[in-house]
Amino acid sequence: MNVKPLVLAVLIASTLTACGEKDDKKSPSQVLAKVNDSEITVHQLNYVLAQVPNAQPEQKQQVLEQLVDQELLVQKATELKLDREPNVVQAIENAKRQILAQSAAERVIGKPGEPNKTAVDEFYAKNPALFAERKNYEFTTFVIDKAAYNDALNAALNNATSPMAVKAVLDAAAIKFNTNEATRTAEQLPMPMLVKFAQMNVGDIIAMSEGDKTVLLQLKATQAAPVGAAEAEPMIKRYLANNEAQTQAAQKMKGLRDAAKIEYLQKFASAPAQQLQKQESTAADDSVKAGLKGLK
């Protein structure tokens, strides 16, 4: 197992530690290496190895070598007085705030309990298009400028049940387009629109907005790809747990905000509660979609 990606996290933690007081009462058994006048302890090593279950001796040595390299860089940074540069001070302070905020969130919000089987079964039953009646979809897509899509075009497309008919409508309206073939699984489609996709017949069209473009998806074919209740249970549990965690977090943060005195001296834009809720919902939906990836 390669543990190099862990070094960045350790760099932040060690840099913060280096800015504080040093413990001169370490026992010899705690010290793993000495780098000039500084010591690397077993606690520093264990902090990293906590993220590497059942680490082998070679991996432990690799992490220790990385900690030595890290300490050398920290000492060089101190020698160059980099720890006094405004951008470095700000980065250290920001990392410290993030660590403290995350720790407080874990303590205040806590972890939600595991969803019971009744909740899992209910979610499975309410989302057949994602599970029991899941499909893979084949589309012919037409990408046009968003400004070109209007009620008149939508009405004209109602009778266009083939790609050739869609092209004829777009050509008649002098609308430029790009066309392609696309395959999508149920979880790759927007979850709020999944029922609508599931009800499509071959030749039907659904328009989706993507930035400054509108994508017309004309259904070409579907293949049944159901997911059984037992297979779906782990991903549903993750979804429900994530959803509950987000709900609890929103409630706890609302309580903290209500109890605090907050005064904005300058605001750049409003952040409507509905928009935040939509973002939270999207994040929760992603947990289900991630679990379904790779299923055929």
Side-chain angles (χ1 to χ4, degrees), residues 26-98:
K26 302 185 187 76
S27 66
S29 61
Q30 291 180 314
V31 178
L32 299 177
K34 292 185 177 181
V35 183
N36 296 321
D37 295 330
S38 297
E39 298 173 334
I40 297 174
T41 70
V42 67
H43 302 297
Q44 291 172 277
L45 181 69
N46 288 341
Y47 178 81
V48 182
L49 293 179
Q51 305 172 65
V52 187
N54 305 314
Q56 300 301 309
E58 294 80 5
Q59 292 173 297
K60 293 181 180 179
Q61 185 61 38
Q62 180 185 5
V63 173
L64 180 57
E65 296 298 341
Q66 291 172 350
L67 289 171
V68 169
D69 290 345
Q70 181 191 97
E71 179 58 35
L72 287 169
L73 289 172
V74 170
Q75 291 181 18
K76 176 57 69 173
T78 303
E79 177 188 330
L80 296 173
K81 295 183 172 55
L82 298 180
D83 55 335
R84 301 181 188 179
E85 292 192 358
N87 62 323
V88 176
V89 172
Q90 185 61 41
I92 292 173
E93 181 60 26
N94 185 59
K96 180 180 177 181
R97 287 171 58 84
Q98 289 181 353

Side-chain angles (χ1 to χ4, degrees), residues 253-254 256-265:
M253 287 309 302
K254 184 179 184 303
L256 290 174
R257 280 177 167 266
D258 290 345
K261 181 181 179 181
I262 301 174
E263 180 183 2
Y264 292 98
L265 303 183

